[in-house]
Short mmCIF file of all heavy atoms in Angstrom, two decimals:
data_model
loop_
_atom_site.label_atom_id
_atom_site.label_comp_id
_atom_site.label_asym_id
_atom_site.label_seq_id
_atom_site.Cartn_x
_atom_site.Cartn_y
_atom_site.Cartn_z
N MET M 1 113.89 95.79 83.13
CA MET M 1 113.44 94.55 83.77
C MET M 1 112.07 94.79 84.41
O MET M 1 111.82 95.82 85.01
CB MET M 1 114.46 94.12 84.83
CG MET M 1 114.09 92.85 85.51
SD MET M 1 115.43 92.32 86.59
CE MET M 1 114.74 90.84 87.19
N ILE M 2 111.21 93.80 84.28
CA ILE M 2 109.86 93.91 84.81
C ILE M 2 109.84 93.45 86.26
O ILE M 2 110.34 92.39 86.61
CB ILE M 2 108.89 93.09 83.95
CG1 ILE M 2 108.86 93.66 82.54
CG2 ILE M 2 107.51 93.08 84.55
CD1 ILE M 2 108.07 92.85 81.57
N ASN M 3 109.24 94.27 87.11
CA ASN M 3 109.18 93.99 88.53
C ASN M 3 107.85 93.30 88.85
O ASN M 3 106.80 93.93 88.90
CB ASN M 3 109.31 95.31 89.31
CG ASN M 3 109.35 95.11 90.80
OD1 ASN M 3 108.84 94.12 91.33
ND2 ASN M 3 109.95 96.05 91.48
N LEU M 4 107.90 91.99 89.06
CA LEU M 4 106.69 91.21 89.33
C LEU M 4 105.98 91.68 90.59
O LEU M 4 104.75 91.71 90.64
CB LEU M 4 107.01 89.72 89.45
CG LEU M 4 107.39 89.00 88.17
CD1 LEU M 4 107.68 87.53 88.46
CD2 LEU M 4 106.32 89.13 87.12
N LYS M 5 106.73 92.05 91.60
CA LYS M 5 106.12 92.50 92.86
C LYS M 5 105.31 93.78 92.63
O LYS M 5 104.21 93.92 93.15
CB LYS M 5 107.20 92.74 93.91
CG LYS M 5 106.64 93.05 95.28
CD LYS M 5 107.73 93.08 96.33
CE LYS M 5 107.12 93.27 97.70
NZ LYS M 5 108.12 93.21 98.74
N SER M 6 105.84 94.69 91.84
CA SER M 6 105.15 95.93 91.54
C SER M 6 103.85 95.66 90.77
O SER M 6 102.80 96.23 91.07
CB SER M 6 106.07 96.85 90.74
OG SER M 6 105.38 97.98 90.31
N ILE M 7 103.92 94.78 89.79
CA ILE M 7 102.73 94.43 89.02
C ILE M 7 101.71 93.74 89.91
O ILE M 7 100.51 94.02 89.85
CB ILE M 7 103.10 93.54 87.82
CG1 ILE M 7 103.95 94.34 86.84
CG2 ILE M 7 101.86 92.98 87.14
CD1 ILE M 7 104.57 93.52 85.74
N SER M 8 102.17 92.85 90.76
CA SER M 8 101.29 92.14 91.68
C SER M 8 100.56 93.12 92.60
O SER M 8 99.35 93.00 92.82
CB SER M 8 102.09 91.13 92.50
OG SER M 8 101.27 90.48 93.43
N LYS M 9 101.28 94.09 93.13
CA LYS M 9 100.66 95.08 94.02
C LYS M 9 99.63 95.91 93.27
O LYS M 9 98.56 96.21 93.80
CB LYS M 9 101.73 95.98 94.64
CG LYS M 9 102.51 95.32 95.74
CD LYS M 9 103.46 96.31 96.38
CE LYS M 9 104.16 95.66 97.55
NZ LYS M 9 104.92 96.63 98.34
N PHE M 10 99.96 96.29 92.05
CA PHE M 10 99.02 97.07 91.25
C PHE M 10 97.77 96.26 90.96
O PHE M 10 96.64 96.75 91.11
CB PHE M 10 99.69 97.53 89.94
CG PHE M 10 98.79 98.35 89.07
CD1 PHE M 10 98.47 99.65 89.43
CD2 PHE M 10 98.27 97.84 87.90
CE1 PHE M 10 97.63 100.42 88.64
CE2 PHE M 10 97.43 98.59 87.10
CZ PHE M 10 97.11 99.89 87.47
N LEU M 11 97.93 95.00 90.56
CA LEU M 11 96.78 94.15 90.28
C LEU M 11 95.93 93.93 91.53
O LEU M 11 94.70 93.91 91.46
CB LEU M 11 97.23 92.81 89.71
CG LEU M 11 97.80 92.86 88.30
CD1 LEU M 11 98.32 91.48 87.90
CD2 LEU M 11 96.76 93.34 87.30
N SER M 12 96.57 93.79 92.66
CA SER M 12 95.85 93.62 93.91
C SER M 12 95.00 94.86 94.21
O SER M 12 93.82 94.75 94.58
CB SER M 12 96.83 93.36 95.05
OG SER M 12 96.13 93.15 96.25
N LEU M 13 95.59 96.02 94.03
CA LEU M 13 94.85 97.27 94.24
C LEU M 13 93.64 97.33 93.32
O LEU M 13 92.52 97.61 93.76
CB LEU M 13 95.77 98.46 93.97
CG LEU M 13 95.08 99.83 93.94
CD1 LEU M 13 94.63 100.23 95.34
CD2 LEU M 13 96.00 100.88 93.36
N ILE M 14 93.86 97.02 92.05
CA ILE M 14 92.79 97.11 91.06
C ILE M 14 91.70 96.06 91.32
O ILE M 14 90.51 96.38 91.34
CB ILE M 14 93.36 96.92 89.64
CG1 ILE M 14 94.31 98.06 89.29
CG2 ILE M 14 92.25 96.78 88.60
CD1 ILE M 14 93.73 99.45 89.41
N LEU M 15 92.08 94.83 91.51
CA LEU M 15 91.11 93.75 91.61
C LEU M 15 90.42 93.65 92.97
O LEU M 15 89.32 93.11 93.07
CB LEU M 15 91.78 92.41 91.25
CG LEU M 15 92.28 92.32 89.81
CD1 LEU M 15 93.09 91.05 89.62
CD2 LEU M 15 91.13 92.40 88.82
N ARG M 16 91.04 94.18 94.00
CA ARG M 16 90.46 94.06 95.33
C ARG M 16 89.82 95.34 95.84
O ARG M 16 88.96 95.30 96.71
CB ARG M 16 91.51 93.59 96.32
CG ARG M 16 92.08 92.23 95.96
CD ARG M 16 93.16 91.79 96.90
NE ARG M 16 92.53 91.09 98.01
CZ ARG M 16 93.11 90.90 99.17
NH1 ARG M 16 94.31 91.37 99.40
NH2 ARG M 16 92.49 90.25 100.12
N HIS M 17 90.28 96.49 95.30
CA HIS M 17 89.84 97.75 95.89
C HIS M 17 89.35 98.81 94.91
O HIS M 17 88.37 99.49 95.19
CB HIS M 17 90.97 98.36 96.73
CG HIS M 17 91.52 97.44 97.76
ND1 HIS M 17 90.82 97.09 98.89
CD2 HIS M 17 92.70 96.77 97.83
CE1 HIS M 17 91.55 96.24 99.62
NE2 HIS M 17 92.69 96.03 98.99
N GLU M 18 90.04 98.99 93.78
CA GLU M 18 89.74 100.11 92.91
C GLU M 18 89.70 99.75 91.42
O GLU M 18 90.46 100.29 90.63
CB GLU M 18 90.78 101.22 93.11
CG GLU M 18 90.80 101.79 94.51
CD GLU M 18 91.83 102.89 94.67
OE1 GLU M 18 92.22 103.54 93.68
OE2 GLU M 18 92.26 103.10 95.81
N PRO M 19 88.79 98.86 91.01
CA PRO M 19 88.73 98.53 89.58
C PRO M 19 88.41 99.74 88.72
O PRO M 19 88.84 99.82 87.56
CB PRO M 19 87.63 97.47 89.50
CG PRO M 19 86.85 97.61 90.76
CD PRO M 19 87.79 98.15 91.79
N GLU M 20 87.69 100.70 89.29
CA GLU M 20 87.34 101.89 88.53
C GLU M 20 88.56 102.73 88.14
O GLU M 20 88.52 103.52 87.20
CB GLU M 20 86.33 102.76 89.31
CG GLU M 20 86.87 103.39 90.57
CD GLU M 20 86.91 102.50 91.81
OE1 GLU M 20 86.47 101.33 91.75
OE2 GLU M 20 87.39 102.97 92.85
N ARG M 21 89.66 102.53 88.83
CA ARG M 21 90.89 103.28 88.53
C ARG M 21 91.35 103.03 87.09
O ARG M 21 91.93 103.91 86.48
CB ARG M 21 92.00 102.89 89.51
CG ARG M 21 93.30 103.65 89.27
CD ARG M 21 94.35 103.25 90.26
NE ARG M 21 94.12 103.96 91.50
CZ ARG M 21 95.08 104.36 92.32
NH1 ARG M 21 96.34 104.11 92.04
NH2 ARG M 21 94.79 105.00 93.42
N ILE M 22 91.09 101.81 86.57
CA ILE M 22 91.47 101.52 85.18
C ILE M 22 90.22 101.24 84.33
O ILE M 22 90.30 100.60 83.29
CB ILE M 22 92.50 100.37 85.08
CG1 ILE M 22 91.93 99.06 85.63
CG2 ILE M 22 93.81 100.76 85.75
CD1 ILE M 22 92.79 97.84 85.31
N ASN M 23 89.09 101.70 84.82
CA ASN M 23 87.83 101.61 84.08
C ASN M 23 87.39 100.18 83.75
O ASN M 23 86.98 99.89 82.63
CB ASN M 23 87.89 102.44 82.80
CG ASN M 23 88.12 103.90 83.08
OD1 ASN M 23 87.45 104.47 83.94
ND2 ASN M 23 89.07 104.50 82.39
N ILE M 24 87.49 99.29 84.73
CA ILE M 24 86.94 97.95 84.55
C ILE M 24 85.83 97.75 85.58
O ILE M 24 85.78 98.43 86.61
CB ILE M 24 87.99 96.82 84.68
CG1 ILE M 24 88.63 96.78 86.06
CG2 ILE M 24 89.04 96.92 83.58
CD1 ILE M 24 89.50 95.57 86.32
N THR M 25 84.97 96.82 85.26
CA THR M 25 83.89 96.45 86.17
C THR M 25 84.00 94.96 86.44
O THR M 25 84.06 94.16 85.50
CB THR M 25 82.51 96.76 85.55
OG1 THR M 25 82.46 98.16 85.24
CG2 THR M 25 81.39 96.42 86.50
N LEU M 26 84.06 94.60 87.69
CA LEU M 26 84.10 93.20 88.07
C LEU M 26 82.68 92.64 88.08
O LEU M 26 81.72 93.38 88.35
CB LEU M 26 84.72 93.04 89.46
CG LEU M 26 86.11 93.67 89.67
CD1 LEU M 26 86.58 93.43 91.09
CD2 LEU M 26 87.11 93.13 88.67
N ASP M 27 82.54 91.35 87.79
CA ASP M 27 81.20 90.76 87.85
C ASP M 27 80.77 90.57 89.30
O ASP M 27 81.50 90.93 90.22
CB ASP M 27 81.13 89.47 87.02
CG ASP M 27 81.89 88.30 87.62
OD1 ASP M 27 82.31 88.35 88.79
OD2 ASP M 27 82.08 87.30 86.89
N GLU M 28 79.59 90.00 89.50
CA GLU M 28 79.05 89.84 90.86
C GLU M 28 79.97 89.04 91.78
O GLU M 28 79.95 89.23 92.99
CB GLU M 28 77.71 89.13 90.88
CG GLU M 28 76.68 89.28 89.86
CD GLU M 28 77.01 88.93 88.43
OE1 GLU M 28 77.27 87.78 88.08
OE2 GLU M 28 76.99 89.87 87.62
N ALA M 29 80.73 88.13 91.20
CA ALA M 29 81.63 87.29 91.99
C ALA M 29 83.04 87.88 92.12
O ALA M 29 83.91 87.28 92.73
CB ALA M 29 81.71 85.90 91.38
N GLY M 30 83.26 89.05 91.52
CA GLY M 30 84.57 89.69 91.64
C GLY M 30 85.56 89.33 90.55
O GLY M 30 86.76 89.53 90.71
N TRP M 31 85.08 88.81 89.42
CA TRP M 31 85.95 88.38 88.33
C TRP M 31 85.90 89.37 87.18
O TRP M 31 84.93 90.11 87.00
CB TRP M 31 85.50 87.02 87.80
CG TRP M 31 85.62 85.91 88.80
CD1 TRP M 31 84.65 85.47 89.65
CD2 TRP M 31 86.77 85.12 89.06
NE1 TRP M 31 85.13 84.43 90.41
CE2 TRP M 31 86.43 84.20 90.08
CE3 TRP M 31 88.05 85.08 88.54
CZ2 TRP M 31 87.33 83.27 90.57
CZ3 TRP M 31 88.94 84.15 89.03
CH2 TRP M 31 88.58 83.25 90.04
N VAL M 32 86.94 89.34 86.36
CA VAL M 32 87.00 90.11 85.12
C VAL M 32 87.70 89.23 84.08
O VAL M 32 88.57 88.43 84.42
CB VAL M 32 87.74 91.46 85.31
CG1 VAL M 32 89.20 91.26 85.68
CG2 VAL M 32 87.61 92.34 84.08
N GLU M 33 87.30 89.38 82.83
CA GLU M 33 87.95 88.60 81.77
C GLU M 33 89.41 89.02 81.63
O GLU M 33 89.73 90.21 81.72
CB GLU M 33 87.23 88.81 80.44
CG GLU M 33 85.89 88.15 80.38
CD GLU M 33 85.24 88.29 79.01
OE1 GLU M 33 85.97 88.27 78.00
OE2 GLU M 33 84.01 88.43 78.98
N VAL M 34 90.27 88.05 81.38
CA VAL M 34 91.71 88.29 81.25
C VAL M 34 91.99 89.33 80.17
O VAL M 34 92.76 90.27 80.39
CB VAL M 34 92.47 86.98 80.97
CG1 VAL M 34 93.91 87.24 80.58
CG2 VAL M 34 92.40 86.06 82.18
N LYS M 35 91.37 89.18 79.03
CA LYS M 35 91.60 90.11 77.92
C LYS M 35 91.26 91.55 78.32
O LYS M 35 92.00 92.49 78.03
CB LYS M 35 90.78 89.69 76.70
CG LYS M 35 90.96 90.57 75.50
CD LYS M 35 90.13 90.09 74.33
CE LYS M 35 90.27 91.05 73.16
NZ LYS M 35 89.42 90.67 72.04
N ILE M 36 90.14 91.73 78.99
CA ILE M 36 89.71 93.05 79.43
C ILE M 36 90.70 93.62 80.44
O ILE M 36 91.07 94.80 80.38
CB ILE M 36 88.28 93.00 80.01
CG1 ILE M 36 87.29 92.68 78.90
CG2 ILE M 36 87.92 94.29 80.73
CD1 ILE M 36 85.89 92.37 79.38
N LEU M 37 91.13 92.79 81.39
CA LEU M 37 92.09 93.23 82.39
C LEU M 37 93.40 93.68 81.74
O LEU M 37 93.91 94.76 82.04
CB LEU M 37 92.36 92.11 83.40
CG LEU M 37 93.42 92.41 84.45
CD1 LEU M 37 93.01 93.57 85.35
CD2 LEU M 37 93.73 91.16 85.27
N ILE M 38 93.93 92.87 80.85
CA ILE M 38 95.20 93.19 80.20
C ILE M 38 95.09 94.49 79.41
O ILE M 38 95.97 95.36 79.52
CB ILE M 38 95.66 92.02 79.32
CG1 ILE M 38 96.08 90.84 80.20
CG2 ILE M 38 96.81 92.45 78.40
CD1 ILE M 38 96.36 89.56 79.44
N GLU M 39 94.03 94.65 78.64
CA GLU M 39 93.85 95.87 77.86
C GLU M 39 93.77 97.10 78.76
O GLU M 39 94.38 98.13 78.49
CB GLU M 39 92.60 95.77 76.99
CG GLU M 39 92.76 94.83 75.82
CD GLU M 39 91.47 94.66 75.02
OE1 GLU M 39 90.46 95.33 75.32
OE2 GLU M 39 91.48 93.84 74.08
N ALA M 40 93.01 97.00 79.85
CA ALA M 40 92.84 98.13 80.75
C ALA M 40 94.13 98.48 81.47
O ALA M 40 94.47 99.66 81.64
CB ALA M 40 91.73 97.84 81.77
N VAL M 41 94.88 97.48 81.90
CA VAL M 41 96.16 97.72 82.57
C VAL M 41 97.12 98.41 81.61
O VAL M 41 97.79 99.38 81.98
CB VAL M 41 96.76 96.40 83.12
CG1 VAL M 41 98.20 96.59 83.55
CG2 VAL M 41 95.92 95.88 84.28
N ASN M 42 97.18 97.95 80.38
CA ASN M 42 98.06 98.57 79.39
C ASN M 42 97.64 100.00 79.08
O ASN M 42 98.49 100.88 78.94
CB ASN M 42 98.14 97.72 78.13
CG ASN M 42 98.98 96.48 78.34
OD1 ASN M 42 100.03 96.52 78.95
ND2 ASN M 42 98.51 95.37 77.83
N GLN M 43 96.35 100.26 79.00
CA GLN M 43 95.86 101.61 78.74
C GLN M 43 96.17 102.53 79.92
O GLN M 43 96.28 103.75 79.75
CB GLN M 43 94.37 101.61 78.45
CG GLN M 43 94.05 101.06 77.08
CD GLN M 43 92.57 101.01 76.79
OE1 GLN M 43 91.73 101.33 77.64
NE2 GLN M 43 92.22 100.60 75.58
N ALA M 44 96.32 101.95 81.10
CA ALA M 44 96.66 102.73 82.29
C ALA M 44 98.16 103.01 82.38
O ALA M 44 98.63 103.62 83.34
CB ALA M 44 96.19 102.01 83.55
N GLY M 45 98.93 102.55 81.38
CA GLY M 45 100.35 102.85 81.34
C GLY M 45 101.27 101.80 81.93
O GLY M 45 102.47 102.01 82.04
N LYS M 46 100.71 100.67 82.32
CA LYS M 46 101.52 99.56 82.82
C LYS M 46 101.68 98.54 81.71
O LYS M 46 100.88 98.48 80.79
CB LYS M 46 100.85 98.89 84.02
CG LYS M 46 100.45 99.81 85.14
CD LYS M 46 101.63 100.24 85.93
CE LYS M 46 101.16 101.09 87.12
NZ LYS M 46 102.26 101.62 87.87
N GLN M 47 102.71 97.72 81.79
CA GLN M 47 102.93 96.67 80.80
C GLN M 47 102.43 95.34 81.34
O GLN M 47 102.86 94.90 82.40
CB GLN M 47 104.40 96.55 80.45
CG GLN M 47 104.93 97.69 79.62
CD GLN M 47 106.35 97.40 79.18
OE1 GLN M 47 107.13 96.81 79.91
NE2 GLN M 47 106.68 97.83 77.98
N LEU M 48 101.52 94.72 80.58
CA LEU M 48 101.00 93.42 80.98
C LEU M 48 100.56 92.66 79.74
O LEU M 48 99.94 93.22 78.85
CB LEU M 48 99.80 93.58 81.94
CG LEU M 48 99.27 92.31 82.57
CD1 LEU M 48 100.30 91.67 83.50
CD2 LEU M 48 97.98 92.58 83.34
N ASP M 49 100.93 91.38 79.69
CA ASP M 49 100.45 90.48 78.66
C ASP M 49 100.09 89.16 79.34
O ASP M 49 100.26 89.01 80.55
CB ASP M 49 101.47 90.28 77.53
CG ASP M 49 102.81 89.72 78.00
OD1 ASP M 49 102.87 89.04 79.06
OD2 ASP M 49 103.82 89.96 77.31
N GLU M 50 99.56 88.22 78.57
CA GLU M 50 99.10 86.96 79.18
C GLU M 50 100.24 86.20 79.86
O GLU M 50 100.05 85.61 80.92
CB GLU M 50 98.41 86.09 78.15
CG GLU M 50 97.01 86.56 77.87
CD GLU M 50 96.19 85.54 77.10
OE1 GLU M 50 96.12 84.37 77.53
OE2 GLU M 50 95.63 85.93 76.06
N GLU M 51 101.40 86.20 79.24
CA GLU M 51 102.53 85.48 79.82
C GLU M 51 102.94 86.08 81.17
O GLU M 51 103.17 85.37 82.14
CB GLU M 51 103.72 85.51 78.85
CG GLU M 51 104.93 84.76 79.35
CD GLU M 51 106.10 84.81 78.37
OE1 GLU M 51 105.87 85.03 77.16
OE2 GLU M 51 107.23 84.63 78.83
N LEU M 52 103.02 87.38 81.22
CA LEU M 52 103.39 88.06 82.47
C LEU M 52 102.32 87.87 83.53
O LEU M 52 102.62 87.62 84.69
CB LEU M 52 103.65 89.54 82.20
CG LEU M 52 104.15 90.37 83.37
CD1 LEU M 52 105.41 89.78 83.98
CD2 LEU M 52 104.40 91.80 82.91
N LEU M 53 101.06 87.96 83.12
CA LEU M 53 99.97 87.75 84.08
C LEU M 53 100.03 86.34 84.65
O LEU M 53 99.89 86.14 85.85
CB LEU M 53 98.62 88.00 83.41
CG LEU M 53 97.40 87.80 84.29
CD1 LEU M 53 97.43 88.71 85.51
CD2 LEU M 53 96.13 88.00 83.48
N ARG M 54 100.26 85.36 83.80
CA ARG M 54 100.36 83.98 84.26
C ARG M 54 101.50 83.83 85.27
O ARG M 54 101.37 83.15 86.29
CB ARG M 54 100.56 83.03 83.09
CG ARG M 54 100.48 81.57 83.49
CD ARG M 54 100.25 80.64 82.34
NE ARG M 54 99.09 80.95 81.53
CZ ARG M 54 97.83 80.62 81.83
NH1 ARG M 54 97.58 79.96 82.93
NH2 ARG M 54 96.83 80.91 81.03
N GLU M 55 102.63 84.49 85.01
CA GLU M 55 103.77 84.43 85.93
C GLU M 55 103.41 85.06 87.28
O GLU M 55 103.76 84.52 88.33
CB GLU M 55 104.98 85.13 85.31
CG GLU M 55 106.24 84.94 86.11
CD GLU M 55 107.48 85.49 85.42
OE1 GLU M 55 107.40 85.90 84.23
OE2 GLU M 55 108.53 85.50 86.07
N VAL M 56 102.71 86.18 87.26
CA VAL M 56 102.30 86.82 88.51
C VAL M 56 101.37 85.90 89.28
O VAL M 56 101.54 85.70 90.49
CB VAL M 56 101.60 88.18 88.23
CG1 VAL M 56 100.92 88.71 89.48
CG2 VAL M 56 102.61 89.19 87.70
N VAL M 57 100.40 85.30 88.60
CA VAL M 57 99.45 84.40 89.26
C VAL M 57 100.18 83.20 89.87
O VAL M 57 99.93 82.82 91.01
CB VAL M 57 98.37 83.92 88.27
CG1 VAL M 57 97.52 82.81 88.88
CG2 VAL M 57 97.49 85.09 87.83
N GLU M 58 101.10 82.61 89.13
CA GLU M 58 101.78 81.40 89.59
C GLU M 58 102.81 81.65 90.69
O GLU M 58 103.08 80.76 91.49
CB GLU M 58 102.47 80.72 88.40
CG GLU M 58 101.48 80.11 87.43
CD GLU M 58 102.13 79.57 86.17
OE1 GLU M 58 103.37 79.70 86.00
OE2 GLU M 58 101.38 79.02 85.33
N THR M 59 103.38 82.85 90.74
CA THR M 59 104.47 83.09 91.69
C THR M 59 104.08 83.97 92.87
O THR M 59 104.90 84.18 93.75
CB THR M 59 105.68 83.73 90.98
OG1 THR M 59 105.30 85.01 90.45
CG2 THR M 59 106.22 82.84 89.89
N ASN M 60 102.84 84.44 92.91
CA ASN M 60 102.44 85.30 94.02
C ASN M 60 102.49 84.53 95.33
O ASN M 60 101.79 83.53 95.51
CB ASN M 60 101.04 85.86 93.77
CG ASN M 60 100.62 86.81 94.86
OD1 ASN M 60 99.98 86.41 95.81
ND2 ASN M 60 101.00 88.06 94.73
N ASP M 61 103.31 84.99 96.24
CA ASP M 61 103.52 84.26 97.50
C ASP M 61 102.27 84.22 98.39
O ASP M 61 102.12 83.33 99.20
CB ASP M 61 104.72 84.83 98.27
CG ASP M 61 104.58 86.30 98.61
OD1 ASP M 61 103.73 86.99 98.02
OD2 ASP M 61 105.34 86.76 99.48
N LYS M 62 101.38 85.17 98.22
CA LYS M 62 100.16 85.19 99.02
C LYS M 62 98.98 84.54 98.30
O LYS M 62 97.88 84.51 98.82
CB LYS M 62 99.82 86.63 99.41
CG LYS M 62 100.89 87.24 100.31
CD LYS M 62 100.52 88.63 100.72
CE LYS M 62 101.65 89.19 101.59
NZ LYS M 62 101.41 90.57 101.97
N GLN M 63 99.22 84.05 97.11
CA GLN M 63 98.21 83.36 96.30
C GLN M 63 96.92 84.17 96.20
O GLN M 63 95.82 83.67 96.40
CB GLN M 63 97.95 81.96 96.84
CG GLN M 63 99.18 81.08 96.77
CD GLN M 63 98.93 79.68 97.27
OE1 GLN M 63 98.09 79.45 98.12
NE2 GLN M 63 99.67 78.74 96.72
N ARG M 64 97.07 85.45 95.86
CA ARG M 64 95.93 86.34 95.76
C ARG M 64 95.18 86.21 94.45
O ARG M 64 94.06 86.69 94.35
CB ARG M 64 96.41 87.79 95.90
CG ARG M 64 96.82 88.14 97.29
CD ARG M 64 97.09 89.62 97.38
NE ARG M 64 97.24 89.98 98.78
CZ ARG M 64 98.12 90.84 99.23
NH1 ARG M 64 98.92 91.45 98.40
NH2 ARG M 64 98.18 91.11 100.51
N PHE M 65 95.79 85.61 93.46
CA PHE M 65 95.20 85.59 92.13
C PHE M 65 95.00 84.16 91.65
O PHE M 65 95.75 83.26 92.02
CB PHE M 65 96.13 86.30 91.14
CG PHE M 65 96.62 87.64 91.62
CD1 PHE M 65 97.93 87.82 92.01
CD2 PHE M 65 95.75 88.73 91.70
CE1 PHE M 65 98.39 89.04 92.45
CE2 PHE M 65 96.19 89.96 92.15
CZ PHE M 65 97.50 90.12 92.53
N THR M 66 93.98 83.99 90.81
CA THR M 66 93.73 82.69 90.21
C THR M 66 92.95 82.89 88.91
O THR M 66 92.38 83.95 88.69
CB THR M 66 92.96 81.75 91.17
OG1 THR M 66 92.95 80.44 90.65
CG2 THR M 66 91.56 82.23 91.42
N TYR M 67 92.95 81.87 88.10
CA TYR M 67 92.17 81.87 86.87
C TYR M 67 90.92 81.04 87.11
O TYR M 67 90.92 80.11 87.90
CB TYR M 67 92.94 81.22 85.72
CG TYR M 67 94.05 82.07 85.17
CD1 TYR M 67 95.36 81.94 85.59
CD2 TYR M 67 93.79 83.02 84.18
CE1 TYR M 67 96.38 82.72 85.07
CE2 TYR M 67 94.79 83.81 83.64
CZ TYR M 67 96.08 83.65 84.09
OH TYR M 67 97.07 84.42 83.57
N SER M 68 89.85 81.39 86.41
CA SER M 68 88.62 80.61 86.48
C SER M 68 88.04 80.48 85.09
O SER M 68 88.14 81.40 84.28
CB SER M 68 87.60 81.32 87.39
OG SER M 68 86.36 80.66 87.34
N ASP M 69 87.47 79.34 84.81
CA ASP M 69 86.81 79.15 83.52
C ASP M 69 85.53 79.92 83.52
O ASP M 69 84.99 80.37 82.62
CB ASP M 69 86.53 77.67 83.25
CG ASP M 69 87.84 76.89 83.10
OD1 ASP M 69 88.82 77.46 82.62
OD2 ASP M 69 87.82 75.71 83.49
#
């Protein structure tokens, strides 16, 4: 079973503090493309796909994540 809280905490660490941990670079505004994020998370040994990412974004109680065009 996939633990959404664990994935959410990992994404928070990566996107807010240590993007270099999974070899991604955020743009000037702090964004990264979804495809790049998913690939990097998977290469780091975690399981993530678009459906799971969408679930994390929609259910995060602290609303830390969002999508942008």
Side-chain angles (χ1 to χ4, degrees):
M1 181 173 182
I2 297 173
N3 184 334
L4 289 180
K5 187 172 185 176
S6 173
I7 294 170
S8 177
K9 284 185 175 190
F10 181 72
L11 290 175
S12 182
L13 171 70
I14 296 305
L15 296 173
R16 299 177 88 200
H17 306 289
E18 298 181 24
E20 67 279 358
R21 181 179 279 213
I22 62 168
N23 299 313
I24 62 171
T25 302
L26 306 180
D27 70 13
E28 324 59 66
W31 296 93
V32 64
E33 288 184 35
V34 169
K35 181 180 177 183
I36 292 170
L37 176 63
I38 290 171
E39 287 176 4
V41 168
N42 286 318
Q43 287 178 356
K46 307 285 185 185
Q47 288 187 324
L48 187 65
D49 59 25
E50 282 193 53
E51 182 180 337
L52 184 55
L53 179 59
R54 188 162 306 278
E55 188 173 352
V56 168
V57 170
E58 290 173 357
T59 62
N60 183 267
D61 59 343
K62 296 182 181 176
Q63 297 182 330
R64 288 188 169 141
F65 312 108
T66 191
Y67 286 95
S68 173
D69 294 328

